[in-house]
Amino acid sequence: GAVVSQHPSRVICKSGTSVKIECRSLDFQATTMFWYRQFPKKSLMLMATSNEGSKATYEQGVEKDKFLINHASLTLSTLTVTSAHPEDSSFYICSARQGRPRQPQHFGDGTRLSIL
Amino acid sequence: AQKITQTQPGMFVQEKEAVTLDCTYDTSDQSYGLFWYKQPSSGEMIFLIYQGSYDEQNATEGRYSLNFQKARKSANLVISASQLGDSAMYFCAMREENTGNQFYFGTGTSLTVIP
């Protein structure tokens, strides 16, 4: 079945470091990729939607200069957390979809980011 | 093996009727949580309901209830009295609490409510 690979699965780094997270669709072309951030309890916040070849659409309240998203090809999207601070520590998860809305969506396994 | 399986890519239900969205999961952990999210066309994920593996009673939240059958490893979502606004994608997810809170999602079920 379709697989989305998210890498790395866990990052621990110092404050001020920039961290890049990759999301790859391994056996299908992902026209749309989503980036989510998990908050305590059960909330999963949509950060941005990226479509291949165009700029990401950021949700309100998400700093685009802080969270750089690039969807350079139909199989790869990256999220770069620039100058990360402890409050950026969270679980980030990507998902990918081929085609229109309401099509199956495939999720990566997530990245646990810890900023010291 | 898939951790979360949603076998219904698309479902239709008549307005005001109840509908069940299927979800089965695979884990060897004893402690885990099961979630359902609703995703409208905007892509946001709206949390609907949560069931912990040790919860003895099925979770309910308004019109949403979770039919938790632990031995069968199923966590079906039941939506009662469907409304047109319920039309969306629905995702089942699991978090294994003993393995670093890893989060796994199914591929979703597209629900369409017919007037």
Side-chain angles (χ1 to χ4, degrees):
Chain A
V3 175
V4 169
S5 172
Q6 186 173 340
H7 179 80
S9 58
R10 188 171 182 95
V11 180
I12 302 172
C13 57
K14 292 181 180 178
S15 186
T17 308
S18 291
V19 178
K20 181 187 277 190
I21 303 169
E22 290 189 350
C23 183
R24 289 182 186 272
S25 56
L26 297 184
D27 55 359
F28 68 101
Q29 293 183 328
T31 49
T32 304
M33 285 186 169
F34 300 94
W35 286 95
Y36 297 93
R37 177 175 176 175
Q38 187 192 21
F39 283 92
K41 305 261 178 172
K42 296 113 186 155
S43 177
L44 202 64
M45 183 194 82
L46 175 65
M47 298 175 67
T49 303
S50 73
N51 295 294
E52 188 268 339
S54 60
K55 288 184 178 179
T57 303
Y58 289 81
E59 295 299 303
Q60 196 170 14
V62 178
E63 298 174 60
K64 57 182 71 174
D65 294 331
K66 172 82 174 170
F67 299 98
L68 299 176
I69 290 171
N70 184 279
H71 192 160
S73 75
L74 282 171
T75 59
L76 174 65
S77 177
T78 60
L79 165 66
T80 302
V81 184
T82 61
S83 187
H85 290 285
E87 58 266 28
D88 299 323
S89 298
S90 191
F91 186 78
Y92 294 85
I93 192 164
C94 72
S95 68
R97 184 182 70 207
Q98 180 180 32
R100 307 183 309 274
R102 303 288 206 102
Q103 295 297 307
Q105 203 166 315
H106 306 277
F107 289 78
D109 287 346
T111 297
R112 172 73 58 190
L113 177 62
S114 301
I115 308 298
L116 305 177
Chain B
Q2 290 274 50
K3 286 282 190 178
I4 295 287
T5 302
Q6 292 180 255
T7 57
Q8 308 152 315
M11 289 282 285
F12 292 85
V13 64
Q14 202 74 42
E15 194 179 4
K16 298 178 187 171
E17 296 291 311
V19 64
T20 298
L21 306 184
D22 294 342
C23 174
T24 56
Y25 60 93
D26 180 29
T27 183
S28 55
D29 273 18
Q30 296 302 308
S31 181
Y32 53 89
L34 297 156
F35 303 75
W36 277 93
Y37 291 89
K38 174 183 178 182
Q39 186 191 56
S41 56
S42 62
E44 63 180 309
M45 294 286 260
I46 301 168
F47 166 74
L48 296 179
I49 197 165
Y50 169 82
Q51 179 87 41
S53 57
Y54 293 115
D55 295 340
E56 294 186 353
Q57 296 210 323
N58 286 344
T60 60
E61 290 284 349
R63 294 187 298 112
Y64 304 108
S65 61
L66 201 151
N67 184 359
F68 181 43
Q69 298 190 40
K70 196 169 181 176
R72 294 173 126 187
K73 293 188 175 175
S74 76
N76 299 340
L77 175 71
V78 180
I79 305 174
S80 62
S82 297
Q83 301 172 358
L84 295 178
D86 294 335
S87 294
M89 284 290 282
Y90 289 81
F91 292 94
C92 177
M94 174 179 68
R95 184 175 60 209
E96 294 176 325
E97 290 164 19
N98 290 335
T99 53
N101 286 322
Q102 191 71 47
F103 227 140
Y104 301 97
F105 282 82
T107 54
T109 294
S110 173
L111 177 66
T112 302
V113 180
I114 304 165

